[in-house]
Amino acid sequence: MRERADAARNRLRVLAAAERLFGERGVSGVTMDDVAAAAGVGKGTLYRRFTDKGGLAVALLDERERELQQLMLAGPPPLGPGADPVPRLVAFVQAYLQFLERHLDLVLLSETAAPGARLRTGAHAFWRQHCRYLLDRAGAPDADLRADVLLAALSAEQVRHWREDEERDAEGLAGSLAAVVSALARSRPTGRAGA
Amino acid sequence: MRERADAARNRLRVLAAAERLFGERGVSGVTMDDVAAAAGVGKGTLYRRFTDKGGLAVALLDERERELQQLMLAGPPPLGPGADPVPRLVAFVQAYLQFLERHLDLVLLSETAAPGARLRTGAHAFWRQHCRYLLDRAGAPDADLRADVLLAALSAEQVRHWREDEERDAEGLAGSLAAVVSALARSRPTGRAGA
DNA sequence: CGCCGATGTGGACTAGAGTCCGGTTATGTC
DNA sequence: GACATAACCGGACTCTAGTCCACATCGGCG
């Protein structure tokens, strides 16, 4: 027995209530009590399933993330297999930016609810693994560290800053980050950099 | 009248108490009430001076940051003026990593207390300005965005992850990030990236 | 079909961040 | 040196995240 029938029912009710409330009032205008009340369950039930508010966000994002992950693993190039590493990375960056565009509030919540949360989600491990692999295949040194650098630039908070505080347009941002990807993927300097 | 004498006295008492308590029990083991009580002031006084817990961290960090900033502006090369842009950037990265090494808890607090806090401190604006200037002088395209990318990689949370979760040694990290700096500073690809 | 242990449930409770406001004290003026 | 006023002070208060545990419910088993 993995999950009791009533537990499954409540889990779905919580998810549905959370999605509705977040949509209605925005992520920050909803308390955990609100979610519990709207779902018709107690707070204990809520916290039993979802570690904290961030965990709720992670659960809501889960399905959407899977779609993107599936495209990365088995979809058409350049996002999916078949393309060269750098174009695939660029495609990933663009796809991930679009993903953020649609779910920024939720991702922000999932990444900032607890300190260090961003680096601990399963989804993050997936993106990192993918970037590592492609950077390595592109011949970049320190592929794993550079994957982290790339993903740090794609953190919800950073992207929110670029898009909202600095009002950069989505395409310019994607283009600039594509150039960053190319720079990070290059295997070694061809000469002296700088002046 | 800029600051009443009693207010100044209390500000110093709060700072001294906070520094002592943070040192004794660690940043997360100290509540704002603790600080207020130890300083012999009420909570209202505390919050009047320092917006929130993060603001307290910012104030404590302030003096140390100024030292580093001074070295960057007027100290000996390669950190100070005189060296070429890329070596100066590399020196900044190393110096900033050492700064984090000593004050990680406080910086972490200052960056995570409020969402978006990291990008809003005065110190951050300074680092960003410096990196922008040097990247631009190195001929990098999108110098301002790339400065943000570099600083995102140097966020307290990311560096903490590398040093503590992944147990990377400080020198290896500095070396790898120096290579990243060089890659970001390069003006343009020398050929096709990838295959 | 009724018992029993495992699992789930709800809501009172704790804790800590941040707000508010009536009272207090410093500082400039005469 | 007394007054007016603006700044400051303190601690009670609110709000929300997250914990805890006595009780209810499920579902396998005899």
Side-chain angles (χ1 to χ4, degrees):
Chain A
M1 164 180 37
R2 251 331 190 290
E3 184 182 35
R4 255 164 56 170
D6 54 343
R9 180 172 43 78
N10 279 340
R11 186 168 49 77
L12 293 179
R13 282 211 277 172
V14 166
L15 251 17
E19 183 155 26
R20 183 171 60 78
L21 289 179
F22 285 160
E24 282 173 16
R25 300 190 224 157
V27 167
S28 59
V30 178
T31 71
M32 292 299 263
D33 295 74
D34 290 341
V35 174
V41 304
K43 288 187 70 176
T45 307
L46 191 49
Y47 279 99
R48 154 173 290 272
R49 287 278 167 303
F50 309 101
T51 321
D52 54 16
K53 210 173 175 184
L56 194 49
V58 167
L60 285 170
L61 285 170
D62 193 62
E63 191 182 346
R64 299 308 183 99
E65 280 166 343
R66 282 184 199 288
E67 284 174 26
L68 177 52
Q69 288 169 7
Q70 199 52 39
L71 287 174
M72 288 160 61
L73 288 174
L79 186 57
D84 286 338
V86 173
R88 270 190 91 183
L89 275 169
V90 169
F92 163 70
V93 167
Q94 295 187 338
Y96 190 71
L97 284 172
Q98 285 172 22
F99 178 77
L100 282 182
E101 205 73 32
R102 277 199 296 275
H103 306 297
L104 192 57
D105 285 355
L106 275 181
V107 179
L108 201 50
L109 175 58
S110 77
E111 292 186 356
T112 56
R118 190 185 125 243
L119 301 157
R120 263 183 252 127
T121 63
H124 183 81
F126 184 94
W127 316 134
R128 177 158 51 184
Q129 173 62 26
H130 189 71
C131 292
R132 272 183 198 180
Y133 168 72
L134 291 175
L135 283 168
D136 192 60
R137 280 205 46 200
D142 281 318
D144 45 1
L145 179 131
R146 292 187 180 204
D148 288 338
V149 170
L150 179 56
L151 290 173
L154 293 173
S155 72
E157 192 175 306
Q158 182 65 60
V159 171
R160 191 204 55 71
H161 175 72
W162 281 327
R163 292 286 284 127
E164 297 178 11
D165 297 343
E166 296 194 346
E167 298 184 358
R168 287 174 180 271
D169 67 288
E171 283 159 30
L173 188 56
S176 295
L177 286 174
V180 167
V181 166
S182 297
L184 287 175
R186 303 280 294 303
S187 57
R188 48 184 33 245
T190 52
R192 305 287 276 91
Chain B
M1 160 180 42
R2 254 328 191 289
E3 184 183 36
R4 253 166 57 170
D6 53 344
R9 179 172 42 78
N10 278 341
R11 187 168 49 77
L12 294 179
R13 284 211 276 171
V14 166
L15 251 16
E19 183 156 25
R20 183 170 60 78
L21 288 179
F22 284 162
E24 283 173 15
R25 301 189 222 156
V27 167
S28 59
V30 178
T31 71
M32 291 300 262
D33 296 73
D34 291 339
V35 174
V41 305
K43 287 186 72 174
T45 306
L46 192 49
Y47 278 99
R48 154 173 291 271
R49 287 276 168 306
F50 310 100
T51 321
D52 55 15
K53 209 174 175 182
L56 194 50
V58 167
L60 285 171
L61 250 8
D62 192 63
E63 190 183 346
R64 300 307 184 101
E65 279 166 344
R66 283 185 199 287
E67 285 174 26
L68 177 52
Q69 288 170 5
Q70 200 51 39
L71 287 174
M72 288 160 62
L73 289 175
L79 186 56
D84 286 340
V86 172
R88 268 190 92 183
L89 275 169
V90 169
F92 163 69
V93 167
Q94 292 185 339
Y96 190 72
L97 284 172
Q98 284 172 22
F99 178 78
L100 282 182
E101 204 73 33
R102 277 199 297 275
H103 305 295
L104 192 56
D105 285 356
L106 276 181
V107 179
L108 201 50
L109 175 57
S110 76
E111 293 186 357
T112 56
R118 190 185 124 245
L119 302 158
R120 262 182 255 129
T121 63
H124 183 80
F126 183 94
W127 316 134
R128 177 159 49 184
Q129 174 63 25
H130 189 72
C131 292
R132 272 185 199 178
Y133 168 72
L134 291 175
L135 283 168
D136 191 60
R137 280 205 45 201
D142 280 319
D144 46 1
L145 179 131
R146 291 185 181 204
D148 288 339
V149 170
L150 179 55
L151 289 173
L154 292 174
S155 73
E157 193 175 307
Q158 181 65 61
V159 172
R160 192 205 53 73
H161 175 72
W162 281 329
R163 291 285 284 125
E164 296 178 11
D165 298 342
E166 295 193 346
E167 299 184 356
R168 286 174 182 270
D169 67 289
E171 283 159 30
L173 187 55
S176 296
L177 286 174
V180 167
V181 166
S182 297
L184 287 175
R186 303 283 293 303
S187 59
R188 47 181 38 244
T190 51
R192 307 286 278 89

